[in-house]
Amino acid sequence: MLNIAIIDYPNSLQSAVYGLQEMFEMANGVCQSQQLVERFKCDKLTCQQLSTLPAFDAIIIGPSNNSEFYLSPDPNLLEWITVQHQQGAIISSACAGTFIVAATGLLTHKQATTHWGLANEFKLRYRQIDLTIEKILVNSIDVITAGGMMSWLDLGLELVGQLTQPSVMRQLGKQLVVDTGLREQRYYQQFSPILNHGDGIVLKAQHRLQHDLAQSISMAALAAALHLGERTLLRRFVKATQLTPMQYLQHLRVQRACDLLETTQDSFESIAYRVGYHDVSGCRKLFVRIMGLTPSAFRQRFVG
DNA sequence: AAGAAATGCCGCCATC
DNA sequence: GGGATGGCGGCATTTC
């Protein structure tokens, strides 16, 4: 029997809590049809129900829409997770749940992911965790994290696959009509620049880049316009935004290109031109590097 | 597809 | 002295 604990912490997304329970029930059906002996037993646990229970095979900490709990989680829950991990349980999280796992220290110096919209906040709090926000799922065997509000689907499937057989996961994916192939969170990601850093000059630089992204802007010109030395602008910019001006501009341009791919029928060639590139192939290369798929694949996926 | 020219990045160090 | 600034040289990246 495979014991799964789904933590129903305050404000946790209820569709995920119940959806996961039902997913494991369905997985039991698939196991049966494939003549496998494995069976899942799911427990939904609130923070008050933790102490007396036996060791689990996997713990799931799901998404939340409300930061109140996951930014300052119950120490008893953290302790309990740590003990379960020591006893061999797989610790897993989806979306904001990764904040709770991070607070236990289990992710230190490991790869992890969470919702892309929470990336800046996460990096601020947990500098020693290697956040790979472009991925939907990061599986380190004993700890699994997932990004995206609906990534509990991916997480559930991954756990089913890891605890039973990949064939069970694929069959379950078919029943649910959910993609079990490779997918990345960055396909869905939008550039969310840091603006609340409190450096007014850098903010002006950011606005100027945003406004002038269609033209080629040199760092020298930007520095001059702001009455700053180039070296200083660079340092202040990186400190405030976590990106070099060039990287920042590239993200702005790719973001604009994504918008245009979605909202217009224009060729990528003309889009490239409108986001400041005189060289389509260079623009395409950049797009693939940041988004993880080609412009045409992007358009196909989102405007189909 | 590849390479040359331009531009950006960054360590070092002196300066304010 | 700590902290921010900025000039310079050269390595790296970007662009066409």
Side-chain angles (χ1 to χ4, degrees):
Chain A
M1 187 67 79
L2 297 161
N3 285 307
I4 311 290
I6 299 168
I7 308 302
D8 187 11
Y9 64 89
N11 305 317
S12 69
L13 199 72
Q14 295 299 293
S15 56
V17 171
Y18 289 102
L20 281 162
Q21 284 185 284
E22 288 167 346
M23 186 192 274
F24 285 110
E25 278 169 30
M26 292 173 72
N28 283 339
V30 175
C31 285
Q32 192 168 17
S33 71
Q34 297 193 3
Q35 266 114 55
L36 296 170
V37 296
E38 284 92 347
R39 292 293 182 276
F40 291 101
K41 180 176 174 298
C42 250
D43 286 302
K44 182 187 90 166
L45 302 178
T46 65
C47 291
Q48 285 74 43
Q49 297 172 311
L50 299 175
S51 55
T52 57
L53 288 147
F56 286 94
D57 295 285
I59 314 290
I60 303 175
I61 300 136
S64 173
N65 246 332
N66 179 329
S67 63
E68 211 173 291
F69 184 85
Y70 70 76
L71 289 185
S72 46
D74 182 348
N76 291 327
L77 174 59
L78 301 182
E79 173 63 22
W80 183 81
I81 292 171
T82 308
V83 170
Q84 288 288 334
H85 179 254
Q86 280 163 5
Q87 293 172 353
I90 298 170
I91 309 300
S92 69
S93 67
C95 190
T98 301
F99 280 76
I100 296 173
V101 180
T104 66
L106 288 175
L107 290 172
T108 307
H109 303 306
K110 285 191 180 173
Q111 273 198 17
T113 189
T114 184
H115 190 285
W116 58 263
L118 305 174
N120 289 337
E121 176 87 45
F122 192 91
K123 280 189 230 163
L124 222 60
R125 278 166 190 265
Y126 303 107
R127 289 177 190 283
Q128 293 153 330
I129 297 175
D130 178 12
L131 185 68
T132 53
I133 204 64
E134 66 274 10
K135 293 190 182 169
I136 284 186
L137 203 83
V138 175
N139 187 341
S140 316
I141 308 301
D142 61 325
V143 184
I144 305 174
T145 58
M149 214 65 183
M150 280 294 154
S151 66
W152 58 268
L153 285 164
D154 301 74
L155 176 61
L157 287 165
E158 183 79 5
L159 282 169
V160 167
Q162 186 165 321
L163 292 170
T164 64
Q165 307 285 328
S167 62
V168 177
M169 177 193 76
R170 282 194 295 275
Q171 182 58 37
L172 184 57
K174 284 180 193 168
Q175 282 188 22
L176 294 166
V177 194
V178 171
D179 221 338
T180 56
L182 290 180
R183 214 157 42 101
E184 296 184 51
Q185 182 167 219
R186 57 178 165 172
Y187 301 169
Y188 309 88
Q189 187 168 358
Q190 287 192 286
F191 179 44
S192 46
I194 298 175
L195 300 170
N196 61 353
H197 46 67
D199 190 330
I201 304 279
V202 170
L203 195 59
K204 271 190 189 162
Q206 289 173 270
H207 287 152
R208 192 169 283 258
L209 287 174
Q210 174 108 41
H211 184 260
D212 294 344
L213 93 179
Q215 289 113 52
S216 40
I217 324 150
S218 77
M219 292 308 115
L222 186 64
L226 296 164
H227 313 293
L228 271 186
E230 256 182 275
R231 195 74 187 73
T232 302
L233 173 64
L234 177 67
R235 264 196 296 251
R236 300 245 308 246
F237 197 99
V238 171
K239 188 175 176 194
T241 67
Q242 314 286 306
L243 295 171
T244 68
M246 195 66 229
Q247 292 170 327
Y248 191 92
L249 181 59
Q250 290 174 333
H251 276 92
L252 285 176
R253 285 175 161 165
V254 169
Q255 179 60 50
R256 177 72 60 82
C258 286
D259 295 344
L260 292 170
L261 282 168
E262 283 187 77
T263 59
T264 73
Q265 313 250 38
D266 303 358
S267 68
F268 187 68
E269 184 159 4
S270 89
I271 290 175
Y273 187 79
R274 280 162 66 189
V275 301
Y277 279 88
H278 297 277
D279 170 30
V280 203
S281 75
C283 185
R284 175 177 284 106
K285 217 157 87 184
L286 176 73
F287 189 96
V288 172
R289 202 178 75 212
I290 290 181
M291 297 305 295
L293 34 48
T294 63
S296 60
F298 179 91
R299 184 173 255 165
Q300 196 162 23
R301 184 174 276 271
F302 293 109
V303 309

